[in-house]
Amino acid sequence: ANVLTASESGSVFFLNSATEFATTLPAPAAGLHLTFVITAAPSGANYTVVTETATNIIYGSAEVNGASVPAVAEDSINFVSAAAAIGDWVSVWCDGTNWYVKGMGVAAGSITFTAV
């Protein structure tokens, strides 16, 4: 697991662990921006990026295999095992209340969004 802090805003995180894990976003604050890039495809479990308090505050979309996958009041971004590939990515920005996501996944089902 990796719990991010506001001081890491602007960072790019390369997800390359042999054991997939969850990354927790920092508490919402205006101007925060983070990017996550797959550098080792997940197999056996998903890489996940979750809100700090499991609050459904992720909005936006990812283009996945040529289709738009919407995120509407979600709390988790999932790079799905056996579907996500090296080079898939998402970026998130915060306005102080919500997180806004944009991303790209090559294979169908590679990036999903879920709510609690």
Side-chain angles (χ1 to χ4, degrees):
N2 187 18
V3 178
L4 303 179
T5 64
S7 67
E8 293 174 284
S9 180
S11 296
V12 177
F13 296 91
F14 298 100
L15 306 179
N16 64 0
S17 176
T19 57
E20 292 72 27
F21 55 90
T23 299
T24 303
L25 296 169
L32 295 181
H33 174 250
L34 304 156
T35 298
F36 302 90
V37 179
I38 301 292
T39 58
S43 61
N46 297 346
Y47 291 117
T48 59
V49 178
V50 298
T51 59
E52 175 209 23
T53 58
T55 307
N56 297 330
I57 56 172
I58 297 174
Y59 295 87
S61 65
E63 183 179 325
V64 179
N65 193 33
S68 180
V69 175
V72 180
E74 314 288 359
D75 81 317
S76 180
I77 301 165
N78 312 291
F79 290 101
V80 179
S81 175
I86 293 172
D88 290 358
W89 62 274
V90 297
S91 287
V92 293
W93 298 265
C94 187
D95 66 358
T97 303
N98 295 309
W99 288 97
Y100 300 96
V101 64
K102 176 87 174 146
M104 179 84 60
V106 174
S110 58
I111 300 172
T112 62
F113 305 103
T114 53
V116 286

